[in-house]
Amino acid sequence: MKNIKDYNLEELKKEFVAIGEKPFRAEQVFKWIYESNVTSFDEMTNISLELREKLKQNYTLCIYKIIKKQEATDGTKKYLFDVLDGNAIETVLMQYHHGYSICVSSQIGCKMGCRFCASTGIQFIRSLTSGEIVEQLLAVEREENVKISNVVFMGIGEPLDNYENVVNAIRIINNQKGINIGARHISISTSGLVPKIYKLAEENIQCTLSISLHATTDEKRSSMMPVNNSYNIGQLIQACKDYIEKTNRRISFEYALAKDNNDNMEDAKRLVKLLKGMICHVNLIPINKIENGKYTKSSNENIIKFRDYLNEHGVVATIRRELGSDIDAACGQLRRKNI
Ligand code: SAH
């Protein structure tokens, strides 16, 4: 059966026409799914019984079950979802003063192999469809009875390695007739798939791009992130400049500080050289230790020194507040699980 959440509104209208229905019916169904967040076709009371039957026979609403829910001392919540095929993925809900932010997974497992990330130790199974991505948000809103205002593609997987489905999920989340979260409140984080960054710049969606940079020399970056062997720092920065020029959007660079690895003042200097003059922001993340991982956190003192150096030299940098680490819900700690 087809997942009805895999269609954006335009596609759903076409689909309805193909099954002999009027496009405005598609819009009504779209609103039931994304505005009302219903869990069955029977709740769609302005849809005829006959059409509801037809929908039931041909489509699923892909309703996720929560297998496990954990809450951190800071209020961050982590959900393990049954994705209905014997696999499970993790999603995280964070509360900030400006509202709720959700960190969604885009793949079951990840191919990128970053040495500091927990999602690396697990086998790649498959990419999630756009409906499966959006359902993470809907399931959390149903469970908590909240309205989510920000979405970050920073869970399990490399979003740009699942390009079409991630872009389609953004179009669905963004639609004013449904979930209606502005593209500026949606961030995609990438380990640096350069050709896809050029492609994204052409999409005409105003989402925020985050780049997982983490190092300032190719040697160091390749040792942390194998993707750097395919697309090096120079190529990555060039793609970022193109993205900024085409979209006029500020890029966010993620830099996870690991003790005695990428956290000395020489690194800070090179980072300034690399980013100076770009419309960007650096997010410094105290690296989270993972099982069997060789990297450990820089000292607080060092992290502050690193941040101050960047700010004093014209590169805006902040330290990311760490949320959910006591339930392994922080950056780089998410895993795929078998049920
Ligand atoms: N594949 C994408 C998105 C998932 S990772 C990407 O690489 O960007 C989300 C963020 O967490 C990335 O910036 C990633 O580099 C960072 N991250 C991964 N492992 C981490 C760890 N152990 N400590 C801190 N940040 C980590």
PDB file of all heavy atoms in Angstrom, residues 110 112 114 116-118 153-155 157-159 189-191 210 212 214 225 254 256 285-290 320 331-332, ligand 1:
ATOM      1  N   CYS A 110      23.476   5.013   8.550  1.00  0.00           N
ATOM      2  CA  CYS A 110      24.163   6.084   7.813  1.00  0.00           C
ATOM      3  C   CYS A 110      25.389   5.519   7.117  1.00  0.00           C
ATOM      4  O   CYS A 110      26.059   4.636   7.642  1.00  0.00           O
ATOM      5  CB  CYS A 110      24.582   7.188   8.792  1.00  0.00           C
ATOM      6  SG  CYS A 110      25.275   8.641   7.970  1.00  0.00           S
ATOM      7  N   MET A 112      27.977   7.478   5.994  1.00  0.00           N
ATOM      8  CA  MET A 112      29.083   8.427   5.926  1.00  0.00           C
ATOM      9  C   MET A 112      30.328   8.022   6.726  1.00  0.00           C
ATOM     10  O   MET A 112      31.429   8.429   6.398  1.00  0.00           O
ATOM     11  CB  MET A 112      28.616   9.829   6.355  1.00  0.00           C
ATOM     12  CG  MET A 112      27.402  10.360   5.599  1.00  0.00           C
ATOM     13  SD  MET A 112      27.455  10.076   3.810  1.00  0.00           S
ATOM     14  CE  MET A 112      28.804  11.151   3.362  1.00  0.00           C
ATOM     15  N   CYS A 114      31.481   8.841   9.773  1.00  0.00           N
ATOM     16  CA  CYS A 114      32.207   9.798  10.623  1.00  0.00           C
ATOM     17  C   CYS A 114      32.641   9.092  11.915  1.00  0.00           C
ATOM     18  O   CYS A 114      31.834   8.435  12.562  1.00  0.00           O
ATOM     19  CB  CYS A 114      31.333  11.009  10.957  1.00  0.00           C
ATOM     20  SG  CYS A 114      30.784  11.894   9.493  1.00  0.00           S
ATOM     21  N   PHE A 116      33.390   9.951  14.836  1.00  0.00           N
ATOM     22  CA  PHE A 116      32.994  10.416  16.174  1.00  0.00           C
ATOM     23  C   PHE A 116      31.501  10.260  16.412  1.00  0.00           C
ATOM     24  O   PHE A 116      30.983  10.694  17.427  1.00  0.00           O
ATOM     25  CB  PHE A 116      33.378  11.901  16.317  1.00  0.00           C
ATOM     26  CG  PHE A 116      32.964  12.709  15.115  1.00  0.00           C
ATOM     27  CD1 PHE A 116      31.674  13.195  15.013  1.00  0.00           C
ATOM     28  CD2 PHE A 116      33.860  12.926  14.065  1.00  0.00           C
ATOM     29  CE1 PHE A 116      31.264  13.886  13.888  1.00  0.00           C
ATOM     30  CE2 PHE A 116      33.458  13.629  12.939  1.00  0.00           C
ATOM     31  CZ  PHE A 116      32.157  14.105  12.846  1.00  0.00           C
ATOM     32  N   CYS A 117      30.792   9.660  15.461  1.00  0.00           N
ATOM     33  CA  CYS A 117      29.326   9.648  15.533  1.00  0.00           C
ATOM     34  C   CYS A 117      28.783   8.243  15.787  1.00  0.00           C
ATOM     35  O   CYS A 117      29.208   7.279  15.142  1.00  0.00           O
ATOM     36  CB  CYS A 117      28.763  10.202  14.228  1.00  0.00           C
ATOM     37  SG  CYS A 117      26.965  10.256  14.186  1.00  0.00           S
ATOM     38  N   ALA A 118      27.844   8.148  16.720  1.00  0.00           N
ATOM     39  CA  ALA A 118      27.297   6.839  17.098  1.00  0.00           C
ATOM     40  C   ALA A 118      26.509   6.187  15.966  1.00  0.00           C
ATOM     41  O   ALA A 118      26.388   4.971  15.902  1.00  0.00           O
ATOM     42  CB  ALA A 118      26.399   6.978  18.325  1.00  0.00           C
ATOM     43  N   PHE A 153      17.234  18.593  10.557  1.00  0.00           N
ATOM     44  CA  PHE A 153      17.577  17.276   9.989  1.00  0.00           C
ATOM     45  C   PHE A 153      18.961  16.919  10.510  1.00  0.00           C
ATOM     46  O   PHE A 153      19.945  17.008   9.801  1.00  0.00           O
ATOM     47  CB  PHE A 153      17.560  17.327   8.459  1.00  0.00           C
ATOM     48  CG  PHE A 153      16.169  17.313   7.882  1.00  0.00           C
ATOM     49  CD1 PHE A 153      15.429  18.477   7.789  1.00  0.00           C
ATOM     50  CD2 PHE A 153      15.592  16.122   7.439  1.00  0.00           C
ATOM     51  CE1 PHE A 153      14.133  18.464   7.261  1.00  0.00           C
ATOM     52  CE2 PHE A 153      14.307  16.101   6.908  1.00  0.00           C
ATOM     53  CZ  PHE A 153      13.571  17.273   6.825  1.00  0.00           C
ATOM     54  N   MET A 154      18.996  16.550  11.796  1.00  0.00           N
ATOM     55  CA  MET A 154      20.278  16.243  12.425  1.00  0.00           C
ATOM     56  C   MET A 154      20.227  14.922  13.169  1.00  0.00           C
ATOM     57  O   MET A 154      21.056  14.638  14.018  1.00  0.00           O
ATOM     58  CB  MET A 154      20.676  17.355  13.403  1.00  0.00           C
ATOM     59  CG  MET A 154      21.008  18.665  12.736  1.00  0.00           C
ATOM     60  SD  MET A 154      21.795  19.774  13.876  1.00  0.00           S
ATOM     61  CE  MET A 154      21.878  21.273  12.895  1.00  0.00           C
ATOM     62  N   GLY A 155      19.217  14.125  12.868  1.00  0.00           N
ATOM     63  CA  GLY A 155      19.140  12.812  13.502  1.00  0.00           C
ATOM     64  C   GLY A 155      19.988  11.812  12.742  1.00  0.00           C
ATOM     65  O   GLY A 155      21.014  12.167  12.153  1.00  0.00           O
ATOM     66  N   GLY A 157      21.426   9.582   9.881  1.00  0.00           N
ATOM     67  CA  GLY A 157      21.465   9.625   8.420  1.00  0.00           C
ATOM     68  C   GLY A 157      22.058  10.896   7.865  1.00  0.00           C
ATOM     69  O   GLY A 157      22.272  11.875   8.582  1.00  0.00           O
ATOM     70  N   GLU A 158      22.371  10.866   6.568  1.00  0.00           N
ATOM     71  CA  GLU A 158      22.890  12.033   5.864  1.00  0.00           C
ATOM     72  C   GLU A 158      21.751  12.546   4.978  1.00  0.00           C
ATOM     73  O   GLU A 158      21.419  11.920   3.958  1.00  0.00           O
ATOM     74  CB  GLU A 158      24.124  11.618   5.045  1.00  0.00           C
ATOM     75  CG  GLU A 158      24.587  12.621   4.006  1.00  0.00           C
ATOM     76  CD  GLU A 158      24.755  14.048   4.534  1.00  0.00           C
ATOM     77  OE1 GLU A 158      25.474  14.263   5.525  1.00  0.00           O
ATOM     78  OE2 GLU A 158      24.147  14.964   3.941  1.00  0.00           O
ATOM     79  N   PRO A 159      21.137  13.667   5.357  1.00  0.00           N
ATOM     80  CA  PRO A 159      19.958  14.142   4.615  1.00  0.00           C
ATOM     81  C   PRO A 159      20.203  14.315   3.120  1.00  0.00           C
ATOM     82  O   PRO A 159      19.342  14.000   2.312  1.00  0.00           O
ATOM     83  CB  PRO A 159      19.626  15.483   5.267  1.00  0.00           C
ATOM     84  CG  PRO A 159      20.404  15.549   6.518  1.00  0.00           C
ATOM     85  CD  PRO A 159      21.464  14.521   6.500  1.00  0.00           C
ATOM     86  N   SER A 189      21.348  19.544   7.977  1.00  0.00           N
ATOM     87  CA  SER A 189      22.757  19.431   8.320  1.00  0.00           C
ATOM     88  C   SER A 189      23.405  18.392   7.418  1.00  0.00           C
ATOM     89  O   SER A 189      22.875  17.304   7.227  1.00  0.00           O
ATOM     90  CB  SER A 189      22.882  19.014   9.789  1.00  0.00           C
ATOM     91  OG  SER A 189      24.233  18.942  10.171  1.00  0.00           O
ATOM     92  N   THR A 190      24.555  18.746   6.865  1.00  0.00           N
ATOM     93  CA  THR A 190      25.226  17.781   5.979  1.00  0.00           C
ATOM     94  C   THR A 190      26.704  17.629   6.328  1.00  0.00           C
ATOM     95  O   THR A 190      27.360  18.580   6.767  1.00  0.00           O
ATOM     96  CB  THR A 190      25.106  18.185   4.491  1.00  0.00           C
ATOM     97  OG1 THR A 190      25.790  17.205   3.696  1.00  0.00           O
ATOM     98  CG2 THR A 190      25.702  19.549   4.213  1.00  0.00           C
ATOM     99  N   SER A 191      27.193  16.417   6.099  1.00  0.00           N
ATOM    100  CA  SER A 191      28.618  16.153   6.310  1.00  0.00           C
ATOM    101  C   SER A 191      29.429  16.711   5.129  1.00  0.00           C
ATOM    102  O   SER A 191      30.651  16.701   5.169  1.00  0.00           O
ATOM    103  CB  SER A 191      28.829  14.649   6.446  1.00  0.00           C
ATOM    104  OG  SER A 191      28.319  13.992   5.302  1.00  0.00           O
ATOM    105  N   SER A 210      23.325  23.707   7.432  1.00  0.00           N
ATOM    106  CA  SER A 210      24.389  23.533   8.423  1.00  0.00           C
ATOM    107  C   SER A 210      25.430  22.604   7.831  1.00  0.00           C
ATOM    108  O   SER A 210      25.079  21.576   7.255  1.00  0.00           O
ATOM    109  CB  SER A 210      23.857  22.863   9.691  1.00  0.00           C
ATOM    110  OG  SER A 210      23.037  23.724  10.402  1.00  0.00           O
ATOM    111  N   SER A 212      28.690  20.270   8.631  1.00  0.00           N
ATOM    112  CA  SER A 212      29.516  19.638   9.659  1.00  0.00           C
ATOM    113  C   SER A 212      30.972  19.740   9.209  1.00  0.00           C
ATOM    114  O   SER A 212      31.435  18.915   8.432  1.00  0.00           O
ATOM    115  CB  SER A 212      29.107  18.177   9.835  1.00  0.00           C
ATOM    116  OG  SER A 212      27.773  18.117  10.285  1.00  0.00           O
ATOM    117  N   HIS A 214      34.110  20.601  11.337  1.00  0.00           N
ATOM    118  CA  HIS A 214      34.869  19.879  12.363  1.00  0.00           C
ATOM    119  C   HIS A 214      36.397  19.902  12.257  1.00  0.00           C
ATOM    120  O   HIS A 214      37.075  19.432  13.172  1.00  0.00           O
ATOM    121  CB  HIS A 214      34.423  18.409  12.466  1.00  0.00           C
ATOM    122  CG  HIS A 214      32.971  18.233  12.760  1.00  0.00           C
ATOM    123  ND1 HIS A 214      32.298  18.974  13.708  1.00  0.00           N
ATOM    124  CD2 HIS A 214      32.042  17.406  12.216  1.00  0.00           C
ATOM    125  CE1 HIS A 214      31.034  18.595  13.737  1.00  0.00           C
ATOM    126  NE2 HIS A 214      30.838  17.669  12.834  1.00  0.00           N
ATOM    127  N   MET A 225      36.354  12.325   9.074  1.00  0.00           N
ATOM    128  CA  MET A 225      35.190  12.167   8.199  1.00  0.00           C
ATOM    129  C   MET A 225      35.625  11.670   6.826  1.00  0.00           C
ATOM    130  O   MET A 225      36.151  12.430   6.017  1.00  0.00           O
ATOM    131  CB  MET A 225      34.486  13.527   8.038  1.00  0.00           C
ATOM    132  CG  MET A 225      34.139  14.200   9.349  1.00  0.00           C
ATOM    133  SD  MET A 225      33.439  15.848   9.112  1.00  0.00           S
ATOM    134  CE  MET A 225      31.841  15.474   8.415  1.00  0.00           C
ATOM    135  N   GLU A 254      29.156  23.641  11.803  1.00  0.00           N
ATOM    136  CA  GLU A 254      29.221  22.898  13.066  1.00  0.00           C
ATOM    137  C   GLU A 254      30.689  22.492  13.272  1.00  0.00           C
ATOM    138  O   GLU A 254      31.342  21.992  12.353  1.00  0.00           O
ATOM    139  CB  GLU A 254      28.397  21.613  12.999  1.00  0.00           C
ATOM    140  CG  GLU A 254      27.076  21.743  12.282  1.00  0.00           C
ATOM    141  CD  GLU A 254      26.025  22.394  13.141  1.00  0.00           C
ATOM    142  OE1 GLU A 254      25.611  21.773  14.114  1.00  0.00           O
ATOM    143  OE2 GLU A 254      25.631  23.544  12.836  1.00  0.00           O
ATOM    144  N   ALA A 256      32.692  20.354  16.172  1.00  0.00           N
ATOM    145  CA  ALA A 256      32.688  19.607  17.441  1.00  0.00           C
ATOM    146  C   ALA A 256      34.112  19.554  17.981  1.00  0.00           C
ATOM    147  O   ALA A 256      35.008  18.996  17.346  1.00  0.00           O
ATOM    148  CB  ALA A 256      32.138  18.201  17.227  1.00  0.00           C
ATOM    149  N   ILE A 285      30.457  22.751  19.260  1.00  0.00           N
ATOM    150  CA  ILE A 285      29.793  21.692  20.026  1.00  0.00           C
ATOM    151  C   ILE A 285      30.859  20.962  20.841  1.00  0.00           C
ATOM    152  O   ILE A 285      31.822  20.460  20.258  1.00  0.00           O
ATOM    153  CB  ILE A 285      29.123  20.645  19.084  1.00  0.00           C
ATOM    154  CG1 ILE A 285      28.386  21.333  17.931  1.00  0.00           C
ATOM    155  CG2 ILE A 285      28.210  19.724  19.846  1.00  0.00           C
ATOM    156  CD1 ILE A 285      27.963  20.371  16.822  1.00  0.00           C
ATOM    157  N   PRO A 286      30.697  20.936  22.150  1.00  0.00           N
ATOM    158  CA  PRO A 286      31.633  20.091  22.912  1.00  0.00           C
ATOM    159  C   PRO A 286      31.370  18.660  22.456  1.00  0.00           C
ATOM    160  O   PRO A 286      30.239  18.197  22.529  1.00  0.00           O
ATOM    161  CB  PRO A 286      31.184  20.294  24.365  1.00  0.00           C
ATOM    162  CG  PRO A 286      30.252  21.471  24.352  1.00  0.00           C
ATOM    163  CD  PRO A 286      29.677  21.560  22.980  1.00  0.00           C
ATOM    164  N   ILE A 287      32.369  17.990  21.918  1.00  0.00           N
ATOM    165  CA  ILE A 287      32.101  16.678  21.305  1.00  0.00           C
ATOM    166  C   ILE A 287      31.557  15.698  22.350  1.00  0.00           C
ATOM    167  O   ILE A 287      31.999  15.693  23.498  1.00  0.00           O
ATOM    168  CB  ILE A 287      33.359  16.109  20.597  1.00  0.00           C
ATOM    169  CG1 ILE A 287      32.950  15.143  19.477  1.00  0.00           C
ATOM    170  CG2 ILE A 287      34.306  15.408  21.576  1.00  0.00           C
ATOM    171  CD1 ILE A 287      34.046  14.860  18.457  1.00  0.00           C
ATOM    172  N   ASN A 288      30.570  14.948  21.959  1.00  0.00           N
ATOM    173  CA  ASN A 288      29.999  13.956  22.871  1.00  0.00           C
ATOM    174  C   ASN A 288      30.712  12.634  22.686  1.00  0.00           C
ATOM    175  O   ASN A 288      30.879  12.170  21.565  1.00  0.00           O
ATOM    176  CB  ASN A 288      28.513  13.766  22.567  1.00  0.00           C
ATOM    177  CG  ASN A 288      27.728  14.994  22.949  1.00  0.00           C
ATOM    178  OD1 ASN A 288      27.756  15.441  24.089  1.00  0.00           O
ATOM    179  ND2 ASN A 288      27.039  15.581  21.983  1.00  0.00           N
ATOM    180  N   LYS A 289      31.113  12.066  23.794  1.00  0.00           N
ATOM    181  CA  LYS A 289      31.825  10.797  23.702  1.00  0.00           C
ATOM    182  C   LYS A 289      30.841   9.688  23.348  1.00  0.00           C
ATOM    183  O   LYS A 289      29.718   9.662  23.800  1.00  0.00           O
ATOM    184  CB  LYS A 289      32.494  10.493  25.049  1.00  0.00           C
ATOM    185  CG  LYS A 289      33.313   9.224  25.027  1.00  0.00           C
ATOM    186  CD  LYS A 289      34.563   9.319  25.878  1.00  0.00           C
ATOM    187  CE  LYS A 289      35.353   8.013  25.880  1.00  0.00           C
ATOM    188  NZ  LYS A 289      35.662   7.492  24.546  1.00  0.00           N
ATOM    189  N   ILE A 290      31.282   8.818  22.452  1.00  0.00           N
ATOM    190  CA  ILE A 290      30.433   7.679  22.103  1.00  0.00           C
ATOM    191  C   ILE A 290      31.141   6.385  22.509  1.00  0.00           C
ATOM    192  O   ILE A 290      32.347   6.381  22.718  1.00  0.00           O
ATOM    193  CB  ILE A 290      30.096   7.649  20.589  1.00  0.00           C
ATOM    194  CG1 ILE A 290      31.378   7.664  19.748  1.00  0.00           C
ATOM    195  CG2 ILE A 290      29.194   8.807  20.213  1.00  0.00           C
ATOM    196  CD1 ILE A 290      31.162   7.230  18.319  1.00  0.00           C
ATOM    197  N   ARG A 320      27.170  25.604  21.430  1.00  0.00           N
ATOM    198  CA  ARG A 320      25.836  25.006  21.441  1.00  0.00           C
ATOM    199  C   ARG A 320      25.533  24.422  22.828  1.00  0.00           C
ATOM    200  O   ARG A 320      26.340  23.704  23.392  1.00  0.00           O
ATOM    201  CB  ARG A 320      25.738  23.895  20.396  1.00  0.00           C
ATOM    202  CG  ARG A 320      24.344  23.298  20.359  1.00  0.00           C
ATOM    203  CD  ARG A 320      24.251  22.162  19.387  1.00  0.00           C
ATOM    204  NE  ARG A 320      24.134  22.619  18.017  1.00  0.00           N
ATOM    205  CZ  ARG A 320      24.157  21.793  16.982  1.00  0.00           C
ATOM    206  NH1 ARG A 320      24.324  20.509  17.156  1.00  0.00           N
ATOM    207  NH2 ARG A 320      24.039  22.267  15.773  1.00  0.00           N
ATOM    208  N   CYS A 331      23.915  15.417  20.174  1.00  0.00           N
ATOM    209  CA  CYS A 331      24.499  15.276  18.834  1.00  0.00           C
ATOM    210  C   CYS A 331      25.383  14.051  18.741  1.00  0.00           C
ATOM    211  O   CYS A 331      26.258  13.840  19.563  1.00  0.00           O
ATOM    212  CB  CYS A 331      25.377  16.476  18.497  1.00  0.00           C
ATOM    213  SG  CYS A 331      24.493  17.998  18.426  1.00  0.00           S
ATOM    214  N   GLY A 332      25.159  13.283  17.715  1.00  0.00           N
ATOM    215  CA  GLY A 332      26.042  12.156  17.443  1.00  0.00           C
ATOM    216  C   GLY A 332      25.778  10.933  18.287  1.00  0.00           C
ATOM    217  O   GLY A 332      26.501   9.950  18.230  1.00  0.00           O
TER     218      GLY A 332
HETATM  219  N1  SAH B   1      24.732  13.579   8.593  1.00  0.00           N
HETATM  220  C1  SAH B   1      24.426  14.925   8.926  1.00  0.00           C
HETATM  221  C2  SAH B   1      23.387  15.080  10.035  1.00  0.00           C
HETATM  222  C3  SAH B   1      23.522  14.210  11.262  1.00  0.00           C
HETATM  223  S1  SAH B   1      24.687  14.623  12.475  1.00  0.00           S
HETATM  224  C4  SAH B   1      25.682  15.661   9.250  1.00  0.00           C
HETATM  225  O1  SAH B   1      26.740  15.054   9.281  1.00  0.00           O
HETATM  226  O2  SAH B   1      25.646  16.866   9.413  1.00  0.00           O
HETATM  227  C5  SAH B   1      24.177  16.075  13.281  1.00  0.00           C
HETATM  228  C6  SAH B   1      25.353  16.853  13.851  1.00  0.00           C
HETATM  229  O3  SAH B   1      25.929  16.204  14.997  1.00  0.00           O
HETATM  230  C7  SAH B   1      26.467  17.027  12.844  1.00  0.00           C
HETATM  231  O4  SAH B   1      26.989  18.323  12.900  1.00  0.00           O
HETATM  232  C8  SAH B   1      27.477  16.030  13.354  1.00  0.00           C
HETATM  233  O5  SAH B   1      28.744  16.278  12.852  1.00  0.00           O
HETATM  234  C9  SAH B   1      27.339  16.187  14.847  1.00  0.00           C
HETATM  235  N2  SAH B   1      27.919  15.104  15.612  1.00  0.00           N
HETATM  236  C10 SAH B   1      28.044  13.811  15.282  1.00  0.00           C
HETATM  237  N3  SAH B   1      28.643  13.118  16.256  1.00  0.00           N
HETATM  238  C11 SAH B   1      28.898  13.988  17.248  1.00  0.00           C
HETATM  239  C12 SAH B   1      29.481  13.864  18.521  1.00  0.00           C
HETATM  240  N4  SAH B   1      29.941  12.699  18.985  1.00  0.00           N
HETATM  241  N5  SAH B   1      29.558  14.985  19.287  1.00  0.00           N
HETATM  242  C13 SAH B   1      29.079  16.157  18.844  1.00  0.00           C
HETATM  243  N6  SAH B   1      28.526  16.331  17.646  1.00  0.00           N
HETATM  244  C14 SAH B   1      28.438  15.261  16.851  1.00  0.00           C
END
